[in-house]
Every structure is written in C-alpha cells, then in structure tokens.
C-alpha cells in the first residue's frame, strides 16, 4: 500500500485518540503496521502510537514492551526523524516507571537516554533532554540522594545555559531555583545566595512570565537567607528592591511576591524593634493590597491589620 494510505489511516488514528476512543485507536495501529510493510519511519511512528494508546488504557506493561520494541528495532538508526522518536521512546518509558514508582528503573532509563543523546544534541531534542534532567533530579530526590540531585541540575545547566530556546532556558531557571531551595533546606545559606544571584543575574531581563516569577521568588528567598545569616540590612535591601521594582506589575503571581516581601520586611522590622517603620510597612500593605482577591495576599493584609491593632492596643496604656 502507498504512503498516502498510511497517512490517511494515521490521521484517522489521531482523531480516534483525541476523541479518547482508545480501543478503536489501538485496533488501527495493527492495520497501520500491516500497511507500513517494513518502511522504518512508518513502523516507528506506528509503534510509538501504539504505546501511547496502551498507556492511555493503563496497560502499562504492554506499553513499556512496545517502547522496548522501538528501542530494539531502532537503537542503531542514523535516520534523524527516527532518532527523535527513539529519544521519546526512552523518555516515555521512564515516565511509566515514574508513574509506577519504580524509581531505580526510571533512573536507569534516563541514564540510557542521556548517554545516547547528550553528546550530539540537536535543537529538536533539547526539550526532551532538559526534561530528562529535571525528571532525573526528581527521581533521585525520591531515592533520597540530595547531593546527586544537585549534581544533575548543575550538569543540565552547564549543557543548556546558552540555549536559544526559550522553553529550555526556562527549565535552566527552574534547575537553578531548585538548587537554591536544596541549599536552603540544608542551611547552606551562602551557597543558596550564590545560586539565587546566578539565577537573578542570568534572567533579570527575561520576558518569559514563568521565568520572571522565579527571578522574583529567588530575590525573596535570597533575602530570607540573609536573615538566617543575621544580615538584616542586606535582607531589607533585597525586600525593598523587590517592592520598588515589581510593585506595579500586572501579574498576580509577581504581586504575591511583592506582598510577601512587604510582609517579611514587617516581620524583620518587628524583630529589630523598629516600631515606626513597622507601622509604615503595615500601612503600605493595607494601602496597596486591601482590594486584592488573592487568598495569600488577603491573609498578608489581615496580618498587617492585626499588627497595627496590636500596636494601637500596646500604645494606649
């Protein structure tokens, strides 16, 4: 049969799959394999389609077996299009192991994927490779190997920090942010500040909303690390920078970080017994955010009002 007939039947499969008619879609994969008749690219597409349907049907053992079939048939291919499918066969197989909480098998599959593709990274494969690194780090975290998690993030950053792909760079920012969180959890405050600074400096001019949110969160977290180091002036300076730079943002997620900065600043001023500035910050919170419908911001406003009322009560005697 012709390539045209394969395409027509594959389109029918896609429609069935999108309509969640999974049993009918699965039946079509057997017809597609008959039509493919040894045409490698068509066979590869069909097997990948079959694995997707089996996954949707929660027939996970059959799905992993099908991904293994793709890997066995095409592991030595030089066809660029098939190589892309092969990478996703490894990746999707690992996701199934993740779903089943078979973390050691998941980790081994990510390692095979990276070993095979990381030396010759095409633009088409950048996304799946950075996602592999991120998922590998999550997997290692499940296996309680924190030190290895940080090494994986650092390797990913080294390989992709100069990418021109916006989505890849966004994942690089996630990796940096997560390293900062891990250092913070281990109370390695100076290391955390260093990583947060790297993230802030690298992405301070980003136009990507998600990455910008990470930049602002990194600033807030950096201030918290300064506080842990008892460097109160440095912490206040960072909070003020967040407030001044982003208080007019139209993005609610950014405004939450501004509100948190004001809240944290108020708490810190209270610890420093700076009652006058504390009152000013509480007034600023109420003035800026009293009309907000966001739950986090509303709670911050409520806290500011409680602090003001408490100070009024204390000063009435």
């Amino acid at each position: 049969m012709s390539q045209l007939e394969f395409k027509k039947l594959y389109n029918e499969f896609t429609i069935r799959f999108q309509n969640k008619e999974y049993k009918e879609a699965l039946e079509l994969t057997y017809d597609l394999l008959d039509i493919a008749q040894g045409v490698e690219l068509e066979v590869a597409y069909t097997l990948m389609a079959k694995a997707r349907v089996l996954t949707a049907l929660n027939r996970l053992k059959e799905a992993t077996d099908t991904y293994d079939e793709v890997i066995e048939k095409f592991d030595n291919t030089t066809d660029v299009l098939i190589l892309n499918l092969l990478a996703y066969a490894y990746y999707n197989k690992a996701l199934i192991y993740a779903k089943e909480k078979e973390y050691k098998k998941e980790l081994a599959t990510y390692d095979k994927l990276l070993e095979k593709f990381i030396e010759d990274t095409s633009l088409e494969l950048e996304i799946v490779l950075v996602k592999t690194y991120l998922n590998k780090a999550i997997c290692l975290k499940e296996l309680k190997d924190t030190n290895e998690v940080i090494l994986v993030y650092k390797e990913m950053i080294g390989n992709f920090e100069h990418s021109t792909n916006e989505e890849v760079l966004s994942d690089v920012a996630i990796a940096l942010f997560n390293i900062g969180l891990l250092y913070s959890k281990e109370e390695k405050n100076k290391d955390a500040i260093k990583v947060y600074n790297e993230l802030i400096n690298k992405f301070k001019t980003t136009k990507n909303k998600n990455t910008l949110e990470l930049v602002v969160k990194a600033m807030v977290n950096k201030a918290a690390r300064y506080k842990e180091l008892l460097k109160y002036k440095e912490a206040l300076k960072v909070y003020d920078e967040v407030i001044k730079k982003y208080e007019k943002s139209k993005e609610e997620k950014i405004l939450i970080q501004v509100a948190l900065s004001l809240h944290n600043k108020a708490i810190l001023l209270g610890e420093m017994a700076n009652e006058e500035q504390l009152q000013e910050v509480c007034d600023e919170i109420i003035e800026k955010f009293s009309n907000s419908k966001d739950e986090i911001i509303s709670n911050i406003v409520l806290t500011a009002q409680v602090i003001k009322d408490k100070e009024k009560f204390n000063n009435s005697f």
Side-chain angles (χ1 to χ4, degrees):
M1 291 193 178
S2 69
Q3 188 178 33
L4 186 62
E5 289 171 305
F6 178 87
K7 186 176 181 181
K8 181 180 178 182
L9 192 59
Y10 193 87
N11 287 341
E12 184 180 344
F13 161 82
T14 301
I15 292 169
R16 295 281 190 180
F17 186 84
Q18 289 174 343
N19 291 337
K20 298 184 179 181
E21 299 171 8
Y22 297 133
K23 290 182 179 179
E24 294 82 356
L26 181 61
E27 288 300 318
L28 287 173
T29 63
Y30 300 114
D31 295 333
L32 282 165
L33 283 173
D34 287 338
I35 294 174
Q37 293 182 347
V39 178
E40 287 193 337
L41 183 58
E42 293 179 358
V43 171
Y45 268 114
T46 301
L47 288 173
M48 291 294 289
K50 180 182 175 184
R52 282 167 56 208
V53 177
L54 288 167
T55 303
L57 288 167
N58 208 35
R59 291 161 60 173
L60 301 183
K61 176 61 169 61
E62 293 172 79
T64 54
D65 287 345
T66 305
Y67 285 128
D68 281 336
E69 188 177 350
V70 174
I71 292 166
E72 184 179 346
K73 282 182 182 292
F74 302 110
D75 213 33
N76 296 317
T77 187
T78 57
D79 185 293
V80 174
L81 293 175
I82 297 178
L83 276 171
N84 290 341
L85 294 174
L86 180 65
Y88 277 98
Y90 278 109
Y91 182 76
N92 292 345
K93 179 184 172 184
L95 291 183
I96 291 174
Y97 287 140
K99 185 176 182 180
E100 296 183 312
K101 298 185 178 181
E102 295 190 44
Y103 299 123
K104 289 184 178 179
K105 288 183 179 180
E106 180 192 2
L107 181 60
T109 307
Y110 289 139
D111 284 339
K112 287 179 182 177
L113 169 55
L114 291 171
E115 181 183 352
K116 185 169 184 65
F117 292 100
I118 199 60
E119 291 298 326
D120 187 24
T121 307
S122 66
L123 293 175
E124 290 77 16
L125 285 180
E126 276 192 336
I127 294 296
V128 70
L129 290 172
V130 293
K131 298 299 184 188
T132 296
Y133 273 115
L134 291 180
N135 288 351
K136 180 180 177 180
I138 293 169
C139 181
L140 285 165
K141 192 175 180 182
E142 292 289 345
L143 294 169
K144 313 300 182 187
D145 196 344
T146 302
N147 291 331
E148 190 65 26
V149 170
I150 291 173
L151 290 176
V152 169
Y153 282 136
K154 287 184 175 180
E155 183 179 328
M156 174 200 153
I157 293 162
N159 284 328
F160 295 102
E161 63 183 335
H162 300 299
S163 173
T164 57
N165 186 312
E166 191 64 43
E167 186 176 349
V168 170
L169 290 175
S170 182
D171 285 336
V172 169
I174 289 171
L176 284 165
F177 186 79
N178 288 348
I179 292 174
L181 291 180
L182 288 168
Y183 280 144
S184 299
K185 188 176 181 181
E186 295 177 349
E187 297 185 356
K188 295 180 179 179
N189 295 312
K190 291 181 180 179
D191 289 330
I193 289 169
K194 184 178 178 180
V195 174
Y196 286 137
N197 278 335
E198 185 179 351
L199 168 56
I200 294 161
N201 292 332
K202 192 181 291 290
F203 295 103
K204 59 187 175 185
T205 60
T206 184
K207 302 299 182 185
N208 183 289
K209 292 180 182 180
N210 294 328
T211 303
L212 181 60
E213 182 188 357
L214 288 178
V215 169
V216 184
K217 281 184 174 181
M219 294 173 74
V220 176
N221 289 0
K222 173 184 167 183
R225 295 306 98 204
Y226 275 133
K227 181 186 175 185
E228 290 299 313
L229 291 169
L230 304 180
K231 294 185 175 182
Y232 293 162
K233 288 184 179 179
E234 288 87 343
L236 289 172
K237 183 178 178 182
V238 178
Y239 287 137
D240 284 339
E241 185 181 354
V242 172
I243 297 160
K244 182 178 179 180
K245 193 169 183 179
Y246 299 106
E247 64 182 345
K248 294 182 180 178
S249 174
K250 302 297 183 184
E251 297 296 326
E252 190 166 65
K253 289 181 179 179
I254 302 297
L255 290 176
I256 288 172
Q257 298 305 314
V258 173
L260 282 170
S261 293
L262 283 162
H263 172 76
N264 293 345
K265 181 180 177 181
I267 298 299
L268 189 49
L269 288 168
E271 291 181 14
M272 295 168 69
N274 190 331
E275 302 300 334
E276 184 178 347
Q277 283 195 42
L278 171 59
Q279 287 292 312
E280 289 174 2
V281 172
C282 289
D283 286 337
E284 188 175 356
I285 291 171
I286 294 165
E287 181 184 347
K288 287 182 185 298
F289 296 111
S290 58
N291 294 323
S292 175
K293 292 180 171 55
D294 180 85
E295 184 177 356
I296 295 173
I297 296 177
S298 296
N299 287 334
I300 289 171
V301 172
L302 180 61
T303 301
Q305 290 169 334
V306 169
I307 292 172
K308 277 181 66 65
D309 290 342
K310 181 181 177 182
E311 292 305 314
K312 283 181 183 178
F313 178 80
N314 289 339
N315 292 332
S316 66
F317 293 94

